[in-house]
Amino acid sequence: MSKRERNISTEQRLKELFRDYYLKAPLHLPPDFNLREFAFQLFGSSGYIRHKAFLSEAELRNFVVQHVPKHMYFSAAKYLDPARPNMDEKMRIGTDLVFDIDADHIPKCEEVLQVLYLCPRCGAVIEKPRDTCEVCGSKLIEYQHIPEDCLEEAARITYLLTDVITNELGHKIFTITFSGHRGFHIHVQLNEEEGKMGSEARRELLQYLLGEGTELEQYLVRVVKKRRRIYVKPPPRIVEGGWRRRIALFLLHKIQDYEIRTFIEGKKQAINTSKLTSIADEINKLIQEAITAMRIIVDEKVLIDLSRLIRVPESINGKAGFIVKRLTLDELTNFKLDETLSPFASLELKILPKVNMPKLRLLGKDIRLKRGVSLRIDGALGVYLALKGLAEIIEVL
Ligand SMILES: [Zn+2]
């Protein structure tokens, strides 16, 4: 295949670029991958190839290089017979926990999310929801733009979730990945017994993460009268469990006072009552903030569905062309969407924009597109714009 060959479709070029990556991609599979169902979505098709199972990584790679999927997944569930086409016949052993934290579901981000409707025929840019162009009547291309700081907010919530998974749920083994588009996934591998957890218990876990039914009153610093004794109920501490611990984490981010800090950190057993009373209002205000800030918003369907599919770590997310990248806790803390997350960063592409797009910040660069005016662009951005349907790839340089 010659990359310089002209007259091949953008889809074909994308497929070739994906294939080049999959020839050597370090796909990361769980040790029990042969008990899982694999599923694929191919280019040019909205359907799935499902009920695949693989006995070795080599067998999977052969399949992937041959079919070049746009998206690839394995099941959160483990089955005795994962390749059976009927779900009941697969004989489910158990289902892992999967958390999906999406930037566009975070309340703060929903407000700043930019949605543009772009006309490929006359170049109109329309900012209110429409199917067809008000100027020429053509079908519009919808483009959702997520500002980079939203993704960083999603990373913060994901980090908080890892803390809850470790310290409140007691799980030590989990994989954190950037989804390859606009969020993060955490896959907690459960043993056979834990994996039997049903949908109802998973729903309760979701409510707990969200803090539903959490009564503010019980966490506040306040004066309590008990058998004629009067004392001040202290704030939550890090050494406590559940939401008290989560609130304490938030307080430690905000409170400077040394004495109060060491108490919240659990390094000091008692606290001076008059001091506590004097700053009770300030602490209570923070506790109120904590209940909102420390809510962990995950995708409900993903957590509750017992036969959910998970994106294969180190595969490419065909919605944006970034790698479903495994992250360490450090990498999660410092997460930034940049071209290192694309397998195509070292390429240079010539693209032809299909639409006009106002200046937007993508991968740390200001990008503006003019319909029909070709430009040279780095591979990460070029593939992104092509997968979004905003540009054609005319040449791999
Ligand atoms: Zn138009």
Side-chain angles (χ1 to χ4, degrees):
M1 167 279 302
S2 159
K3 285 182 181 174
R4 292 173 188 282
E5 203 181 316
R6 285 175 179 273
N7 302 323
I8 54 173
S9 71
T10 293
E11 190 169 277
Q12 196 55 36
R13 290 205 195 264
L14 286 168
K15 220 174 140 177
E16 282 167 7
L17 292 172
F18 275 43
R19 181 185 286 118
D20 286 349
Y21 173 72
Y22 282 126
L23 283 170
K24 290 187 204 142
L27 295 175
H28 181 78
L29 302 176
D32 48 16
F33 71 90
N34 50 0
L35 298 176
R36 297 175 193 262
E37 177 195 353
F38 281 73
F40 305 88
Q41 261 183 303
L42 304 184
F43 281 93
S45 152
S46 56
Y48 286 82
I49 301 181
R50 290 202 56 174
H51 315 300
K52 300 299 290 181
F54 298 94
L55 291 174
S56 70
E57 289 188 43
E59 196 191 336
L60 171 66
R61 190 180 302 277
N62 283 341
F63 182 92
V64 170
V65 170
Q66 191 190 341
H67 295 272
V68 196
K70 195 173 179 186
H71 303 279
M72 60 190 283
Y73 310 87
F74 55 69
S75 60
K78 290 174 266 187
Y79 306 97
L80 288 178
D81 197 352
R84 291 293 275 264
N86 184 319
M87 292 312 272
D88 293 332
E89 290 173 358
K90 287 186 194 293
M91 292 175 286
R92 190 172 64 90
I93 301 164
T95 301
D96 290 342
L97 279 176
V98 185
F99 300 96
D100 179 359
I101 301 96
D102 242 346
D104 53 334
H105 291 148
I106 295 170
K108 252 192 210 169
C109 289
E110 279 176 340
E111 292 161 24
V112 292
L113 185 84
Q114 238 179 315
V115 188
L116 298 171
Y117 301 85
L118 308 168
C119 181
R121 188 151 143 219
C122 74
V125 178
I126 297 161
E127 292 192 18
K128 44 185 188 281
R130 283 190 70 107
D131 287 332
T132 54
C133 177
E134 53 197 0
V135 182
C136 74
S138 281
K139 200 171 156 28
L140 296 169
I141 296 174
E142 179 182 336
Y143 173 65
Q144 279 196 6
H145 184 68
I146 306 236
E148 287 168 5
D149 45 354
C150 277
L151 209 49
E152 284 155 32
E153 171 67 4
R156 185 191 69 82
I157 293 178
T158 308
Y159 185 83
L160 178 59
L161 179 55
T162 65
D163 181 89
V164 171
I165 289 170
T166 312
N167 295 301
E168 296 179 23
L169 307 181
H171 295 293
K172 302 280 176 264
I173 303 171
F174 50 85
T175 310
I176 311 163
T177 51
F178 166 55
S179 73
H181 189 210
R182 52 173 58 161
F184 300 88
H185 300 152
I186 299 179
H187 172 196
V188 185
Q189 294 185 32
L190 299 182
N191 64 32
E192 200 173 325
E193 207 39 53
E194 296 163 336
K196 294 194 190 329
M197 178 182 194
S199 289
E200 206 36 56
R202 288 167 202 252
R203 196 181 302 278
E204 281 169 25
L205 174 57
L206 180 91
Q207 285 160 351
Y208 171 69
L209 294 175
L210 283 171
E212 275 174 16
T214 303
E215 301 266 356
L216 172 66
E217 196 59 25
Q218 60 183 308
Y219 305 115
L220 297 177
V221 177
R222 62 181 203 274
V223 177
V224 180
K225 287 179 194 159
K226 205 173 173 185
R227 291 190 202 146
R228 281 186 222 157
R229 263 188 67 221
I230 292 179
Y231 75 101
V232 179
K233 195 168 177 291
R237 307 169 74 201
I238 210 101
V239 284
E240 296 177 276
W243 263 88
R244 294 190 70 82
R245 180 171 183 283
R246 232 188 285 175
I247 292 169
L249 284 172
F250 182 83
L251 295 179
L252 284 177
H253 270 290
K254 302 279 177 175
I255 294 175
Q256 305 299 328
D257 186 286
Y258 179 75
E259 202 186 340
I260 304 275
R261 283 185 66 88
T262 44
F263 175 76
I264 293 173
E265 282 167 344
K267 292 177 187 160
K268 199 173 149 187
Q269 288 315 310
I271 192 163
N272 182 314
T273 304
S274 63
K275 168 137 199 184
L276 193 54
T277 317
S278 72
I279 63 163
D281 284 351
E282 189 194 321
I283 297 178
N284 286 343
K285 225 176 119 212
L286 290 172
I287 292 174
Q288 198 162 359
E289 274 177 42
I291 291 194
T292 311
M294 304 305 262
R295 292 178 78 207
I296 297 172
I297 301 159
V298 298
D299 187 314
E300 177 173 348
K301 291 193 286 297
V302 173
L303 182 58
I304 290 168
D305 185 352
L306 298 179
S307 47
R308 197 74 193 178
L309 297 168
I310 308 172
R311 282 188 186 274
V312 177
E314 311 296 327
S315 67
I316 303 171
N317 184 327
K319 286 181 187 163
F322 299 115
I323 298 171
V324 179
K325 189 87 196 143
R326 275 181 301 154
L327 303 172
T328 62
L329 281 176
D330 262 358
E331 287 166 335
L332 178 63
T333 317
N334 300 308
F335 184 83
K336 262 210 152 9
L337 183 61
D338 61 27
E339 66 277 358
T340 63
L341 293 161
S342 168
F344 313 115
S346 64
L347 299 174
E348 198 183 3
L349 304 179
K350 191 170 171 193
I351 64 164
L352 187 68
K354 287 157 76 172
V355 295
N356 288 329
M357 192 179 75
K359 191 168 85 179
L360 287 177
R361 193 145 187 91
L362 285 171
L363 299 180
K365 293 189 185 92
D366 290 326
I367 304 297
R368 124 183 281 152
L369 300 180
K370 265 192 136 70
R371 193 174 62 101
V373 179
S374 68
L375 70 151
R376 286 172 168 237
I377 199 165
D378 77 72
L381 274 168
V383 168
Y384 176 85
L385 294 169
L387 286 168
K388 290 289 175 193
L390 303 178
E392 301 285 0
I393 297 175
I394 46 180
E395 204 176 346
V396 179
L397 300 160

